Amino acid sequence: MIRLENVGLRYGAGTKAGPEILRDISFSVAPGGFRWLQGPSGAGKSSLMRLLQLALRPKRGTLVVLGTDIGTAERRALPALRQRIGMVFQDFRLLGHLSAFDNVALPLRIAGRPEGQIRADVGEMLRWVELTEKADRRPAQLSGGEQQRVAIARAVVGRPSLLLADEPTGNLDDAQALRLMRLLGELNRLGTTVVVATHNDALVARHPGPSLRLEAGLLVDDG
Amino acid sequence: MPRRDDDKRSRRDDELGLRRALGDRMLPLLVAAMTFLAALALAGALAAAALSAHWQDGAASAVTVQVPDPDQPVQTQADRPEETRLDAVLRVLRSNKDVSASRSLSQADLSLMLRPWLGATAEVAALKLPAVIEVHLAANADEAAIAAALAGVAPGTSAESHGVWVGRLSVLALSLQACAWLALVVVVVVAALVVMVATRAGLASRRDAIEIVHGLGATDGTIAGHFARRITRLTALGGFLGALAAVPVLFALTELAAPFMTRATPLQGPGFLNAAWLAQPIWVLLPLLPAVAGTIGFLTAQATVRRWLRALP
Ligand SMILES: Nc1ncnc2c1ncn2[C@@H]1O[C@H](COP(=O)(O)OP(=O)(O)OP(=O)(O)O)[C@@H](O)[C@H]1O
Ligand SMILES: [Mg+2]
């Protein structure tokens, strides 16, 4: 499902290439597996998540996501893979000109699902994140936590094979965080591979599970 | 707050927020200006082609014969003392198989032609005008031989071929045509560049949205399609407005050119409702310009966006 071997990443290319942000990362996650991705701020968690989301290609090493070797895959093979990956971004990355409803509907529309099914699925998702009343609001008219819940709904609505969540509880209160962790557990039980990045050790302590620990771009603890 | 259905649909079509990023003022305006110029260049090219064709077949075989002292009797022909110089020339012309038609201009025709120079009241009759004969020759006729034969029966008779002028005019017409086509090519290239610049600006201002949609698995084709749809709509609108603006100008120009395009004499009345006028190819091509503008917009937007997207993983 996910396999990394000696993966290295640096931002920029050529003369503008920066330092290596990720160095010699090797680990694997079986289909249907779960991992916490822990580490202090700036360790490279979001960068690793971006690699797994296929928003970046590794500069060296082998990266296999959903059974496809990303280093050798053709560029036009990637969109179909991305449609099977759900991602909650640390900074939400909602589209500001679209309503909450349309933001959540976006992955389904990109995947070309019929509009009737989209309405039903998005409606259900918005009910679950308790935003039915605010479906017409644009992101700027929502609180931080509400935006995060829209981002979560967007990541989950397409029933992805791989769910990546980058600090998904950062703006949630404890009750909502608990609900989210239950949802992630539920999806995981149904077969979705889940990776959750966080620098919140208390959250991990409350919901124990296998974890990867990054420090300054190096994987220091796998298990 | 009830959702209006059309509002919902419009937002759905505009996932990338291009309605704002690619405004509906500047691009259509520029494309309208470009289409207007294209229409004029096209009309110029077509008119130059039509004029040169018209001159070619109208004048290539035409010769103007001038007979001085037309009413004087022929002196050298003792056996036909009654015959005037004009009659002698006409007789020679009629018996020549290379002459397909000849027409002697009447005194009235001549005074009509001379009126601009001499005035209506001029005593044209008092002037010793030569007789003027319009002669049409068959193809490959030997002009020099005919001129010599005419001078033989009426010394001083001159035959002026229009061939030289036709040659000069068709070179001029061809040059005009070449310039018009060149202008058309330049307009098309500039239009494509304008679309490219507008598309790049749109890409830059919607970079975040494009990256998000790309990250969610949208293909290059889908994203380029969003841009191309918007740009096609705007350029076709510009093309329509430009073509519309060209109509009155082309209308006036065709009016001015009409006397050169037909063999009509002033007596044939205004060319306004002339069927030939509406059949001018420009009126067939003009309605196609919005489609051409839209096509240029579509292709340029597709190429620009796909190229830009290749920088994304
Ligand atoms: N687009 C970028 N260009 C250059 N450097 C970057 C970029 N994004 C992140 N970095 C650098 O990469 C390193 C890792 O950043 P990253 O966002 O992956 O950390 P993180 O572990 O997610 O931190 P946090 O817990 O604060 O979210 C940091 O030093 C950061 O400055
Ligand atoms: Mg981060």
Side-chain angles (χ1 to χ4, degrees):
Chain A
M1 166 60 68
I2 297 177
R3 187 162 57 83
L4 289 83
E5 275 168 30
N6 300 316
V7 166
L9 174 76
R10 57 175 86 236
Y11 286 102
T15 53
K16 282 185 277 181
E20 237 184 5
I21 299 299
L22 295 173
R23 280 173 290 157
D24 295 317
I25 306 289
S26 301
F27 70 92
S28 63
V29 184
F34 177 94
R35 288 293 184 284
W36 286 108
L37 180 58
Q38 291 179 272
S41 181
K45 301 183 297 295
S46 296
S47 303
L48 182 52
M49 295 296 256
R50 255 175 246 145
L51 277 176
L52 298 178
Q53 193 230 345
L54 314 185
L56 293 173
R57 286 214 199 198
K59 299 290 162 173
R60 61 186 181 86
T62 308
L63 171 65
V64 178
V65 176
L66 294 172
T68 303
D69 186 336
I70 303 309
T72 59
E74 285 203 53
R75 191 171 171 278
R76 61 190 158 82
L78 299 185
L81 281 180
R82 290 193 184 102
Q83 290 179 14
R84 296 173 56 202
I85 301 173
M87 172 89 170
V88 184
F89 294 91
Q90 187 169 10
D91 53 356
F92 317 143
R93 312 208 73 190
L94 302 174
L95 291 183
H97 65 286
L98 293 184
S99 66
F101 183 97
D102 287 323
N103 265 289
V104 175
L106 202 51
L108 303 180
R109 293 206 169 113
I110 286 170
R113 304 277 170 79
E115 202 58 34
Q117 190 200 331
I118 290 176
R119 206 158 304 146
D121 288 359
V122 173
E124 190 195 321
M125 224 34 248
L126 286 173
R127 245 191 320 283
W128 193 86
V129 295
E130 298 176 329
L131 285 174
T132 306
E133 306 300 303
K134 298 179 176 173
D136 285 318
R137 300 254 191 113
R138 295 181 185 219
Q141 301 163 325
L142 296 172
S143 76
E146 287 167 342
Q147 290 180 45
Q148 187 146 37
R149 277 141 63 195
V150 174
I152 290 165
R154 183 180 70 182
V156 171
V157 72
R159 291 170 207 172
S161 309
L162 172 60
L163 181 63
L164 306 167
D166 195 352
E167 304 289 357
T169 60
N171 291 35
L172 303 185
D173 61 36
D174 284 349
Q176 287 169 343
L178 184 64
R179 263 168 69 79
L180 174 65
M181 289 318 299
R182 287 219 187 100
L183 171 72
L184 297 184
E186 190 66 29
L187 290 169
N188 190 222
R189 258 189 299 287
L190 290 173
T192 303
T193 310
V194 178
V195 179
V196 184
T198 183
H199 47 219
N200 183 347
D201 291 343
L203 183 72
V204 180
R206 267 200 303 279
H207 306 274
S211 94
L212 301 161
R213 177 167 280 275
L214 267 180
E215 253 163 49
L218 280 171
L219 204 55
V220 294
D221 178 23
D222 180 359
Chain B
M1 183 169 57
R3 254 165 191 298
R4 283 202 352 266
D5 229 36
D6 53 338
D7 183 41
K8 213 180 359 175
R9 194 173 309 116
S10 72
R11 269 183 290 160
R12 186 181 311 152
D13 286 349
D14 195 24
E15 281 160 9
L16 295 172
L18 299 183
R19 213 173 294 269
R20 184 99 71 80
L22 295 167
D24 54 7
R25 297 263 166 81
M26 209 54 195
L27 189 57
L29 196 74
L30 288 170
V31 172
M34 230 78 75
T35 308
F36 180 77
L37 293 177
L40 295 193
L42 195 60
L46 294 171
L51 282 177
S52 99
H54 177 68
W55 287 328
Q56 301 261 4
D57 61 51
S61 56
V63 171
T64 305
V65 172
Q66 287 190 38
V67 187
D69 303 324
D71 302 327
Q72 296 294 313
V74 182
Q75 281 156 10
T76 53
Q77 301 264 355
D79 54 327
R80 292 176 201 259
E82 309 292 300
E83 194 175 38
T84 64
R85 284 160 56 87
L86 177 59
D87 289 340
V89 166
L90 286 172
R91 175 172 52 77
V92 171
L93 285 172
R94 267 179 218 120
S95 63
N96 191 313
K97 63 177 175 0
D98 279 348
V99 175
S100 56
S102 60
R103 184 174 79 93
S104 179
L105 297 191
S106 68
Q107 210 62 34
D109 287 337
L110 283 178
S111 44
L112 196 68
M113 280 168 65
L114 293 172
R115 190 182 298 157
W117 287 276
L118 302 179
T121 56
E123 297 182 7
V124 174
L127 291 168
K128 295 184 77 180
L129 291 174
V132 177
I133 310 167
E134 255 183 37
V135 178
H136 284 267
L137 300 181
N140 306 321
D142 184 350
E143 285 176 36
I146 294 168
L150 297 180
V153 292
T157 298
S158 70
E160 189 192 352
S161 163
H162 300 183
V164 176
W165 284 105
V166 169
R168 287 176 191 160
L169 284 172
S170 57
V171 168
L172 178 66
L174 280 177
S175 316
L176 284 174
Q177 239 177 302
C179 288
W181 288 120
L182 191 67
L184 205 59
V185 169
V186 170
V187 165
V188 167
V189 170
V190 172
L193 287 174
V194 164
V195 171
M196 197 175 82
V197 169
T199 306
R200 290 240 180 104
L203 285 165
S205 78
R206 301 307 297 155
R207 179 174 195 114
D208 284 349
I210 294 166
E211 281 180 358
I212 290 168
V213 170
H214 173 80
L216 292 173
T219 59
D220 291 3
T222 308
I223 296 172
H226 276 290
F227 272 85
R229 256 197 305 283
R230 176 82 181 146
I231 296 262
T232 304
R233 210 170 289 163
L234 296 178
T235 48
L237 172 68
F240 175 74
L241 295 177
L244 204 63
V247 167
V249 177
L250 293 178
F251 209 75
L253 282 178
T254 332
E255 264 305 282
L256 292 173
F260 302 97
M261 308 298 288
T262 62
R263 279 163 206 269
T265 64
L267 299 176
Q268 254 185 331
F272 201 78
L273 294 173
N274 198 330
W277 182 92
L278 273 176
Q280 295 300 327
I282 186 65
W283 299 115
V284 180
L285 293 177
L286 199 63
L288 298 179
L289 289 185
V292 173
T295 306
I296 292 172
F298 176 85
L299 294 176
T300 310
Q302 281 275 350
T304 309
V305 175
R306 282 173 188 269
R307 213 183 116 89
W308 188 91
L309 285 174
R310 254 182 275 144
L312 299 182

